[in-house]
Amino acid sequence: MAVPKQSTFTYGLGNPLQTKITKPGQTLPTTKKVVPKATGDSAEVKAVKDAAAAAQIAFDASDKAVKDYLAGINAGGGGGGGGGGGDGGLTYDQQLALQKQQQDADKLLAESQKKVLALDTFRATLGLIFGKDEASKAYVSKLYDLTSGFYKSGSTVEEAMNLALYQAENDKVIPEFTTRFKGIFALRDAKQAGAALQVPTIAEFFATEAKMGEVLRTAGLGDLATETFLGDIIGRQKSVNEVASLISDVFNTIDYAPAELKTTLSTYFPGVDRVSLAKAILTGPEGAQALSQKIKGVSVISAGQQYGMAIDMPTAMDIANRGYGYGEALTGFKQVSSLSRAGDLARIENKTFTQQQAQDAIFKQDSANLGQIAGLKEREEARFASQTGAIKGSFSTQYLSKNSSAGQF
């Protein structure tokens, strides 16, 4: 069809775009359809802005092409406008392409503006993290309202829940929710005060809680594996490894100690029963390493008591740090006890040989004291060497002979 000199097409102020596709020969509306601007600053909304900007660039390019096309028609005066080959306006395909670009941009913006967290989806996610019982509680609807706001701004469901937790604490709402995670807030406060630690997310908090509960149940302390107690332990900056060490190195040592040792330990680690003892150990200010060392010291004290020897804690700790546990300390104090005769012999020579010197000889292998013991033995043997008969000195045969408990001397 030939192009008429005077086209019935009227070009408006904007792109030749309409919401309803016209058939060839019909005029286009003169109103420009403006691409709405997206709001927000999340990554998703930014992507929408970029897509809308790209669509606008495409419109501008198409707009220029149409203007050039119409200029050719008007300049040609009916001569076909440089081969436009048309009906006085855009072709059907050109109109369709332009409208699809606008629809795509509108769709992207609409999707961003309509991003809504479904309540069912929220409850299901909450159930996976908290458990089904927790997800059915009354406060979940209030939490949903807080979480939805962060979700709409671009956060994932889990990120939104963590943000909602702090928002709830700040606004002093949903106390049943914030109280559940008092351990997280305790760690946050410690970090803000300068402690070098990592504040867990809700998911990490639950994982830690579950592992600690397993440690306690394995030790027969299932009564302590509760949300309240474990949350308190986490808030005290106790890790899973620390709790495991407190149970294996401290609690179990006391729990399985011989009766004599357990009696002594009870004066340093009071507890009416196993649960009370474990609770005191886990919530106390001392860590596993310090408590383990303390138990070793008490064990040495207890071993000394079995042989009537009073040992103070610094001395006991020194012996323990030399590798003496309860059993080894019992053997050592037995040897110290067998050297009591050495003190008597030393006094005969107007010398002294104390219990402390005997302990140093046994536990520290002190050369000076070992030498004094050897000298006392030799002089005693010499005194009785000239005697006739089968009777020998009691010291040489019972205390310092090679077959005695102090035989290394």
Side-chain angles (χ1 to χ4, degrees):
M1 180 184 294
V3 179
K5 290 184 178 180
Q6 297 297 325
S7 173
T8 57
F9 178 82
T10 302
Y11 187 77
L13 297 177
N15 291 330
L17 181 68
Q18 58 187 14
T19 58
K20 181 178 180 182
I21 300 297
T22 63
K23 295 182 178 180
Q26 291 181 304
T27 59
L28 292 169
T30 61
T31 303
K32 178 180 179 181
K33 181 76 175 283
V34 180
V35 179
K37 294 182 179 179
T39 59
D41 57 359
S42 68
E44 185 175 4
V45 174
K46 183 178 182 300
V48 172
K49 287 183 178 181
D50 294 341
Q56 186 64 57
I57 292 172
F59 278 127
D60 292 341
S62 299
D63 182 52
K64 184 176 183 302
V66 171
K67 286 181 179 178
D68 292 342
Y69 175 78
L70 294 177
I73 292 177
N74 294 328
D87 52 6
L90 292 177
T91 65
Y92 186 84
D93 289 340
Q94 288 174 320
Q95 296 176 51
L96 183 62
L98 287 172
Q99 183 173 358
K100 186 168 186 316
Q101 290 176 350
Q102 180 69 59
Q103 289 173 340
D104 289 344
D106 288 346
K107 184 178 180 180
L108 284 171
L109 288 174
E111 288 299 321
S112 173
Q113 294 166 354
K114 293 179 180 179
K115 183 179 179 183
V116 177
L117 176 62
L119 180 58
D120 290 342
T121 300
F122 175 72
R123 286 186 182 276
T125 304
L126 199 68
L128 290 174
I129 300 176
F130 289 22
K132 293 182 179 179
D133 292 339
E134 195 79 16
S136 63
K137 292 183 178 179
Y139 76 81
V140 172
S141 296
K142 298 177 184 178
L143 179 60
Y144 168 76
D145 293 336
L146 282 179
T147 304
S148 294
F150 293 109
Y151 180 77
K152 289 179 181 179
S153 68
S155 299
T156 65
V157 177
E158 290 189 16
E159 290 171 343
M161 275 196 280
N162 282 292
L163 293 170
L165 174 63
Y166 291 104
Q167 185 67 46
E169 185 217 18
N170 184 70
D171 294 346
K172 293 180 174 55
V173 297
I174 323 181
E176 55 269 59
F177 178 59
T178 54
T179 301
R180 176 71 178 81
F181 301 103
K182 65 179 182 180
I184 291 181
F185 297 126
L187 291 175
R188 178 207 56 190
D189 294 342
K191 185 175 181 64
Q192 290 176 346
L197 53 83
Q198 181 178 351
V199 180
T201 63
I202 290 177
E204 291 168 342
F205 181 89
F206 271 107
T208 299
E209 196 176 68
K211 292 176 182 177
M212 285 185 178
E214 183 62 26
V215 170
L216 294 179
R217 283 188 289 272
T218 301
L221 297 168
D223 291 344
L224 293 179
T226 64
E227 294 176 357
T228 301
F229 183 72
L230 294 175
D232 181 49
I233 295 299
I234 294 173
R236 293 173 184 268
Q237 304 177 36
K238 301 286 178 69
S239 66
V240 175
N241 290 338
E242 179 77 1
V243 168
S245 295
L246 285 168
I247 294 299
S248 63
D249 299 341
V250 181
F251 175 77
N252 285 344
T253 300
I254 298 173
D255 198 35
Y256 297 122
E260 298 82 2
L261 174 56
K262 187 174 289 187
T263 300
T264 307
L265 286 170
S266 65
T267 63
Y268 292 86
F269 298 89
V272 177
D273 51 37
R274 296 177 75 249
V275 173
S276 299
L277 175 63
K279 189 173 183 180
I281 291 172
L282 292 170
T283 58
E286 295 176 287
Q289 184 175 3
L291 287 175
S292 180
Q293 285 296 106
K294 185 176 180 180
I295 286 179
K296 290 178 180 179
V298 175
S299 298
V300 172
I301 291 175
S302 180
Q305 289 174 348
Q306 308 311 310
Y307 289 92
M309 300 179 194
I311 309 298
D312 59 29
M313 181 60 80
T315 300
M317 291 297 296
D318 179 67
I319 294 174
N321 289 335
R322 294 175 184 276
Y324 288 86
Y326 179 67
E328 296 84 358
L330 278 174
T331 300
F333 282 112
K334 182 179 180 181
Q335 294 174 338
V336 171
S337 177
S338 71
L339 293 176
S340 61
R341 175 66 173 163
D344 297 335
L345 292 177
R347 283 190 290 274
I348 293 175
E349 299 176 358
N350 293 319
K351 297 178 182 180
T352 60
F353 187 81
T354 65
Q355 177 183 304
Q356 184 61 54
Q357 287 177 286
Q359 288 177 194
D360 290 344
I362 298 298
F363 294 112
K364 297 182 180 181
Q365 293 293 290
D366 180 74
S367 59
N369 290 310
L370 289 173
Q372 186 173 355
I373 292 172
L376 289 170
K377 177 184 176 184
E378 290 174 358
R379 288 190 292 277
E380 186 205 24
E381 290 177 343
R383 280 195 295 271
F384 291 96
S386 59
Q387 291 182 3
T388 60
I391 300 176
K392 300 293 183 182
S394 62
F395 184 72
S396 63
T397 57
Q398 297 182 26
Y399 293 93
L400 292 178
S401 70
K402 293 181 180 179
N403 295 324
S404 73
S405 60
Q408 71 266 37
F409 306 124

